[in-house]
């Protein structure tokens, strides 16, 4: 399926840069052989991950709590008592590693986006600015020795040269060590029609079947899977060198569910495409209708995901006045492609709109709890996952 011309999802830009904004064709496909759902084409990595990367992990308090629990789970269940060494890739501003660093655990973050890596360093987290791959893994082993745990959240699905990454993991992790990473789960994307997970940074949409197939090619196996209620439905994969750890019943059970949901059937993806097209017409019809009624609609959270929605649906500033966001680097700029102004959250609070279009739907619980006054004042939410609806 093609979503048409798309800009860089996190490429929030000033007006002066409108004229030479970069676009590529966002298209996604399913491979019946390796079971992977993946982008057909992806912009160069340096165009997405650099010293002006706009996503700082610690903007969500719910995610901060989630990663505290992730770090604690790893430490309690898998780290040896004596001098463990942990490597995390895509460590961003240190949201997860800080909890291991704090208790004196030897650690290393691998984070190519220099600005967010610097925030982590300022918190005292050892971080190198590099793109992880097999070569980097060899260098880490030479300098620090092998790791007891390899961690990643919302990063494995970002890296197109996956065989180099997985080979790097095989080399880096001790024979008895553990690999744990989590990413948005294909089963949830299909079930909820959450097509906004599809954007330049997300090159892969993993399932247990596709991850098992991938790691088996590198002498490793999935030993546990743990669904996570974050980012609209994620899966945590626990992986070890083949034969080193017992495989839990959850792995086969999840694979059986994937088969029963039709994740291996092409027709499932035809239905998904139809659902996405329906979602687009429902959302644009609603926004045009509200415009005709003279209602004010403001976007809530300038997420990466919103770039797919606004560009695919053609949501321009005449339909959405501005997008409220708490990240200073995005404020005062314009959203990629459709150029909706991004304004500080304080502007949302100062003059509530009639409707808030929830681009951060994956943080709905946290946001609804924070915005009770908006709702009490008569404000309504527009959500589009799992279906387009107004919540008053
Ligand atoms: O995979 C990725 C995930 C983990 O994070 C990355 N490729 C990029 C990023 O995706 P995203 O931008 O869609 O992430 P979020 O966490 O859904 O959205 C973050 C944005 O939302 C930030 O700009 C801050 C904003 N926000 C806000 O304005 N008010 C967030 C919350 C919770 C809020 O209350
Ligand atoms: N783990 C954090 C950040 C996710 S955003 C969280 O879940 O909130 C994805 C991060 O991966 C970005 O900070 C990006 O710079 C980083 N990244 C992208 N390609 C990478 C690679 N090849 N190696 C390591 N990190 C990478």
């Amino acid at each position: 399926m093609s979503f048409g011309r798309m800009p860089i999802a996190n490429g929030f830009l000033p007006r002066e840069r409108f004229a030479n904004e970069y676009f590529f064709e966002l298209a996604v496909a399913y491979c019946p052989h390796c079971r992977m759902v993946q982008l057909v084409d992806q912009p160069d990595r340096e165009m997405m991950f650099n010293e002006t990367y706009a996503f700082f992990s610690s903007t969500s308090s719910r995610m901060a709590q989630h990663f505290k629990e992730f770090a604690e789970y790893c430490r309690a269940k898998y780290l040896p008592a004596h001098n463990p060494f942990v490597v995390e890739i895509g460590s961003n501003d240190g949201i997860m590693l800080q909890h291991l660093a704090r208790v004196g655990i030897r650690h290393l973050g691998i984070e190519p986006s220099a600005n967010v890596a610097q925030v982590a360093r300022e918190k005292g987290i050892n971080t190198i600015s590099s793109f992880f791959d097999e070569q980097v893994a060899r260098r880490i082993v030479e300098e620090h020795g092998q790791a007891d745990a390899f961690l990643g959240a919302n990063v494995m699905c970002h890296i197109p040269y996956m065989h180099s990454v997985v080979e790097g993991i095989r080399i880096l992790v001790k024979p008895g060590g553990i690999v744990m990473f989590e990413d948005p789960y294909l089963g949830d994307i299909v079930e909820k029609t959450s097509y906004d997970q599809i954007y330049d940074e997300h090159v892969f949409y993993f399932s247990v079947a596709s991850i098992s197939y991938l790691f088996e090619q590198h002498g490793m196996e999935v030993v546990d899977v743990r669904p996570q209620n974050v980012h609209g439905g994620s899966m945590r994969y626990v992986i070890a060198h083949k034969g080193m750890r017992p495989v839990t019943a959850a792995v086969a059970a999840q694979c059986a569910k994937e088969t029963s949901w039709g994740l291996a059937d092409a027709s499932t993806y035809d239905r998904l495409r139809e659902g996405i097209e329906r979602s687009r017409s429902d959302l644009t019809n609603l926004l045009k209708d509200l415009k005709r009624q003279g209602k004010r609609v403001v976007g809530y959270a300038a997420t990466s995901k919103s770039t797919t929605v606004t560009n695919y649906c053609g949501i321009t500033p005449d339909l959405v006045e501005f997008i409220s966001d708490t990240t200073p680097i995005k404020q005062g700029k314009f959203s990629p492609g459709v150029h909706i102004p991004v304004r500080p959250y304080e502007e949302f609070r100062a003059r509530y709109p009639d409707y808030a279009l929830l681009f951060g739907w994956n943080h709905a619980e946290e946001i609804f709890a924070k915005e009770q006054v908006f709702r009490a004042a008569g404000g309504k939410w527009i959500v589009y996952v799992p279906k387009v609806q107004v919540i008053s």
Side-chain angles (χ1 to χ4, degrees):
M1 176 181 184
S2 175
F3 290 84
R5 236 167 66 99
M6 280 287 157
I8 299 291
N10 265 310
F12 296 88
L13 72 176
R15 197 183 293 279
E16 313 82 80
R17 294 215 349 256
F18 286 0
N20 47 20
E21 191 171 7
Y22 175 86
F23 288 90
F24 73 108
E25 188 191 355
L26 181 71
V28 68
Y30 167 67
C31 171
H33 179 69
C34 67
R35 307 268 187 94
M36 198 65 87
V37 173
Q38 61 191 80
L39 294 191
V40 175
D41 206 5
Q42 196 190 26
D44 289 345
R45 60 191 192 177
E46 289 80 6
M47 293 193 67
M48 299 180 285
F49 308 116
N50 52 45
E51 66 290 348
T52 61
Y53 189 53
F55 176 67
F56 290 71
S57 297
S58 297
T59 43
S60 155
S61 56
R62 163 90 172 84
M63 292 312 297
Q65 180 60 27
H66 173 76
F67 286 122
K68 182 171 189 265
E69 286 162 15
F70 190 156
E72 184 48 35
Y73 182 75
C74 170
R75 196 185 64 76
K77 187 153 174 141
Y78 292 111
L79 290 188
H82 179 67
N83 193 25
F85 176 44
V86 177
V87 172
E88 187 196 354
I89 68 167
S91 45
N92 201 278
D93 59 11
I95 189 167
M96 174 142 70
L97 271 186
Q98 64 192 5
H99 300 291
L100 299 175
R102 197 173 289 151
V103 291
I105 289 176
R106 208 153 57 87
H107 63 277
L108 185 62
I110 317 293
E111 175 47 69
S113 299
N115 58 340
V116 295
Q118 183 55 28
V119 174
R121 275 188 217 105
E122 282 160 16
K123 290 183 192 162
I125 298 156
N126 304 324
T127 309
I128 56 170
S129 287
S130 229
F131 287 95
F132 183 80
D133 62 8
E134 185 181 338
Q135 260 191 332
V136 172
R138 288 186 193 282
R139 239 181 39 222
I140 299 172
V141 175
E142 270 169 33
E143 285 173 29
H144 305 269
Q146 281 185 302
D148 295 279
F150 174 96
L151 306 178
N154 307 300
V155 57
M156 290 289 285
C157 72
H158 291 55
I159 316 178
Y161 35 96
M162 54 153 56
H163 286 292
S164 170
V165 169
V166 178
E167 192 52 21
I169 293 173
R170 189 187 68 77
I171 293 162
L172 178 59
V173 174
K174 284 181 186 166
I178 202 79
V179 178
M180 270 201 282
F181 64 87
E182 61 187 41
D183 285 289
Y185 181 53
L186 179 62
D188 286 290
I189 296 173
V190 169
E191 191 204 340
K192 298 171 188 158
T193 321
S194 44
Y195 69 92
D196 57 350
Q197 293 288 5
I198 302 169
Y199 57 90
D200 54 2
E201 294 181 24
H202 289 176
V203 63
F204 296 118
Y205 307 86
F206 296 143
S207 57
V208 178
S210 60
I211 284 297
S212 299
Y213 181 79
L214 171 63
F215 277 81
E216 269 165 26
Q217 292 173 66
H218 295 268
M220 305 189 83
E221 65 185 343
V222 179
V223 296
D224 197 13
V225 290
R226 305 182 70 86
Q228 302 294 316
N229 185 21
V230 292
H231 286 308
S234 288
M235 186 60 76
R236 183 176 300 166
Y237 305 90
V238 184
I239 292 166
H241 289 283
K242 206 167 176 63
M244 295 301 289
R245 283 176 192 268
V247 178
T248 66
V251 181
Q254 197 68 33
C255 282
K257 280 188 196 163
E258 290 179 355
T259 307
S260 75
W261 295 332
L263 293 191
D265 306 333
S267 59
T268 301
Y269 302 101
D270 286 332
R271 271 200 308 281
L272 176 61
R273 187 183 53 232
E274 287 159 18
I276 293 171
E277 287 164 359
R278 207 173 313 121
S279 175
R280 168 168 68 175
S281 57
D282 288 352
L283 184 58
T284 47
N285 287 342
L286 172 63
L287 292 175
K288 284 176 185 163
D289 197 37
L290 293 175
K291 186 187 170 183
R292 271 192 295 273
Q293 293 175 36
K295 303 290 187 196
R296 280 184 70 220
V297 181
V298 162
Y300 195 105
T303 59
S304 321
K305 297 182 289 294
S306 70
T307 296
T308 295
V309 177
T310 52
N311 284 273
Y312 172 66
C313 300
I315 300 172
T316 40
D318 61 320
L319 296 177
V320 170
E321 189 178 308
F322 67 85
I323 306 176
S324 157
D325 196 278
T326 54
T327 317
I329 194 176
K330 296 182 185 176
Q331 296 164 353
K333 294 196 177 133
F334 294 84
S335 75
V338 291
H339 303 157
I340 300 171
V342 179
R343 311 296 312 158
Y345 170 63
E346 289 66 30
E347 289 194 25
F348 172 81
R349 270 235 309 248
R351 193 162 76 95
Y352 286 137
D354 300 303
Y355 291 80
L357 173 52
L358 187 56
F359 289 125
W361 58 268
N362 47 308
H363 300 300
E365 238 173 78
E366 174 178 347
I367 292 172
F368 287 169
K370 198 160 66 182
E371 300 302 348
Q372 287 174 13
V373 178
F374 166 62
R375 210 156 344 151
K380 296 185 174 67
W381 290 101
I382 301 171
V383 295
Y384 48 85
V385 174
K387 62 181 174 42
V388 175
Q389 56 183 319
V390 172
I391 302 171
S392 51

